[in-house]
Amino acid sequence: MLSRQVAAKLATYETPFYLYDIDLLNQTLDSLMSVARRYDYKIHYAIKANYDKRLLEIIRKHGLGIDCASGNEVKCAIEAGFDPKTIVYAGVGKRDKEIRYAIEQGIYAINCESIEELGVVNDIAGDMGKVVSVALRVNPDIDPRTNHCIDTGQADSKFGISYEEILSSVEYIRSLKNLDVIGMHIHIGSQIRELHVFENMCNKVNVIVENLTSLGFELEFVDVGGGLGINYDMPENEPIPNFASVFAIIKQHLQVGKREVHFEFGRAIVGECGELITKVLFNKTTATGRRLVIVDASMTELIRPALYGSYHNIENITSKEEQRTKYTIVGTACESTDVFDENVSLPITKRGDLLTLKSAGAYGMSMASRYNQHDLPAAVYSDEL
Ligand SMILES: *Cc1c(COP(=O)(O)O)cnc(C)c1O
């Protein structure tokens, strides 16, 4: 969001690259942690959103823990200096060696997503002579009213254990002597913008926690996941997500007694502080009259438009033209879906101009690939310009 002022400086860097607004990240974390402290909520950062070392250092200094989705993410968090006791690890498909590694490192909890996984974690813990803290990730059957590609808590989803299956497996779970079931976890989806969804979630969690407790599980914490969305359409209007209103809803509706309440935000923390800066390579017009702008980035740097049809606001940050026209912005990769957006109104755009794709701090760099043998994009930080 600072690209216009610094466009001249940006022109000296090799494109494409991610630009991170360090002040905005600090302000976002200040805002998040000040309300979280008021309610005594514990916040984990979902490291899959962006594993950039510099960002992780800032996040760690603000006192967050880490939510991981793989053994390598656990490793990355530990290498970035996070205390293993502040790390949780969820994921539908954990390999044996990832489970073993997480146990060795002594992380806070492994969030298990199937009854079979609970049995395997129990066996591995037994082999290692340990008792392991786990949480049950429950599929709450909630429609988060978001893009279907990123909902995770509906009944048919691959995530979590169905509540019915937990109820019918209580005896089995209790028989797993190397497990200490200390938490209940749900995560209903991502980019949630309708806050009443969180109210529905609380109502479900209240019932689940009450029943698990009456079945003899002594839960220390309730992890209600992440999912808070950001304003992709008009990022300038809302650079920092409204954490206070989400927490107020949770405070009002969640009834879990003295148990710790945990959150795991990814997008809401890093989404707005990053943008992808790319240079215009060529202009051309198709036989059908569509005006294409071909930029030097592609789905290999930012796959969200190609993967989910996601929208990123695009601006030309160097053009001085007054006149505007509509363009289709395409990338360099050999895929027809490698289109960033269509019908984008930009000032007359020429070879060498710099474009920014905004709100790309989350699920941008972390999903980058080396398809077509592209280099992975570099990072530039606002305070180093
Ligand atoms: C991806 C994920 C998150 C973070 O989601 P955001 O929408 O980025 O906040 C949190 N918890 C779990 C289990 C996840 O898989």
Side-chain angles (χ1 to χ4, degrees):
M1 253 158 271
L2 37 68
S3 18
R4 211 164 260 288
Q5 296 91 301
V6 295
K9 287 184 190 157
L10 296 181
T12 63
Y13 291 87
E14 185 178 340
T15 50
F17 60 87
Y18 277 98
L19 173 66
Y20 295 110
D21 182 339
I22 297 300
D23 286 339
L24 179 58
L25 176 61
N26 274 307
Q27 289 161 16
T28 304
L29 288 161
D30 284 341
S31 157
L32 166 63
M33 296 310 278
S34 68
V35 227
R37 256 179 240 118
R38 199 182 310 150
Y39 297 123
D40 218 7
Y41 290 157
K42 270 203 186 170
I43 313 294
H44 292 104
Y45 166 62
I47 195 170
K48 70 176 191 278
N50 194 319
Y51 56 86
D52 182 276
K53 289 266 176 313
R54 181 83 204 282
L55 305 190
L56 288 179
E57 184 190 346
I58 295 168
I59 290 166
R60 182 171 54 76
K61 286 186 174 155
H62 279 82
L64 288 83
I66 292 282
D67 164 57
C68 300
S70 74
N72 282 349
E73 286 190 354
V74 174
K75 186 155 177 271
C76 178
I78 289 172
E79 284 171 1
F82 287 87
D83 179 348
K85 281 282 154 237
T86 67
I87 297 176
V88 291
Y89 173 19
V92 283
K94 303 178 184 77
R95 296 173 184 84
D96 292 12
K97 79 168 192 184
E98 295 177 297
I99 294 169
R100 211 171 292 120
Y101 176 73
I103 296 174
E104 262 163 29
Q105 297 299 319
I107 68 167
Y108 180 62
I110 298 179
N111 298 350
C112 295
E113 305 213 17
S114 62
I115 300 297
E116 191 165 22
E117 181 189 340
L118 285 163
V120 169
V121 174
N122 181 67
D123 290 347
I124 293 175
D127 289 346
M128 295 170 72
K130 299 212 170 168
V131 174
V132 174
S133 296
V134 299
L136 303 174
R137 179 167 178 181
V138 185
N139 179 319
D141 189 15
I142 291 179
D143 180 357
R145 304 185 60 78
T146 182
N147 181 329
H148 180 59
C149 302
I150 51 175
D151 67 33
T152 55
Q154 291 194 262
D156 193 35
S157 146
K158 73 173 179 176
F159 297 100
I161 313 172
S162 82
Y163 184 45
E164 291 71 24
E165 196 178 5
I166 289 181
L167 295 184
S168 63
S169 313
V170 168
E171 286 313 313
Y172 173 69
I173 298 171
R174 277 212 290 241
S175 76
L176 301 172
K177 293 297 171 221
N178 308 313
L179 301 187
D180 192 5
V181 180
I182 61 165
M184 178 254 165
H185 174 218
I186 69 169
H187 171 67
I188 57 178
S190 201
Q191 186 52 17
I192 297 167
R193 296 282 290 167
E194 296 183 30
L195 295 188
H196 64 88
V197 166
F198 291 109
E199 183 183 330
N200 299 346
M201 176 188 82
C202 290
N203 296 334
K204 292 248 174 169
V205 171
N206 294 343
V207 175
I208 296 171
V209 169
E210 192 186 318
N211 288 347
L212 288 179
T213 304
S214 66
L215 290 167
F217 292 106
E218 288 174 22
L219 305 179
E220 238 171 63
F221 74 91
V222 175
D223 181 343
V224 294
L228 177 62
I230 61 173
N231 192 339
Y232 283 100
D233 294 330
M234 281 180 282
E236 285 79 4
N237 289 358
E238 201 185 338
I240 299 176
N242 195 341
F243 295 109
S245 56
V246 179
F247 289 160
I249 290 176
I250 303 283
K251 183 72 194 165
Q252 193 187 343
H253 297 280
L254 195 68
Q255 286 154 1
V256 294
K258 293 221 181 322
R259 294 180 186 86
E260 284 183 7
V261 178
H262 295 191
F263 292 82
E264 314 157 331
F265 296 117
R267 190 187 313 271
I269 294 173
V270 293
E272 295 291 15
C273 78
E275 50 198 307
L276 179 63
I277 308 294
T278 180
K279 193 177 281 177
V280 175
L281 293 175
F282 305 112
N283 271 275
K284 73 177 172 188
T285 305
T286 66
T288 56
R290 202 150 64 113
R291 303 180 69 144
L292 305 183
V293 163
I294 300 150
V295 295
D296 66 0
S298 74
M299 63 194 286
T300 61
E301 287 79 27
L302 181 61
I303 199 176
R304 299 185 65 259
L307 185 64
Y308 318 122
S310 304
Y311 172 79
H312 286 269
N313 191 284
I314 302 178
E315 249 185 74
N316 185 325
I317 53 174
T318 52
S319 171
K320 296 191 173 61
E321 303 282 339
E322 298 280 321
Q323 198 196 336
R324 295 179 83 87
T325 188
K326 297 249 170 115
Y327 295 103
T328 296
I329 315 293
V330 304
T332 57
C334 300
E335 295 293 330
S336 299
T337 57
D338 184 28
V339 175
F340 286 123
D341 200 9
E342 296 175 339
N343 284 315
V344 187
S345 170
L346 293 178
I348 298 299
T349 291
K350 302 201 178 91
R351 174 172 166 82
D353 286 354
L354 291 184
L355 305 191
T356 174
L357 287 94
K358 295 182 223 168
S359 318
Y363 308 108
M365 177 58 204
S366 63
M367 286 190 171
S369 79
R370 296 217 48 207
Y371 177 53
N372 288 169
Q373 303 225 12
H374 287 178
D375 294 324
L376 289 174
V380 173
Y381 307 95
S382 60
D383 59 351
E384 293 172 356
L385 286 171

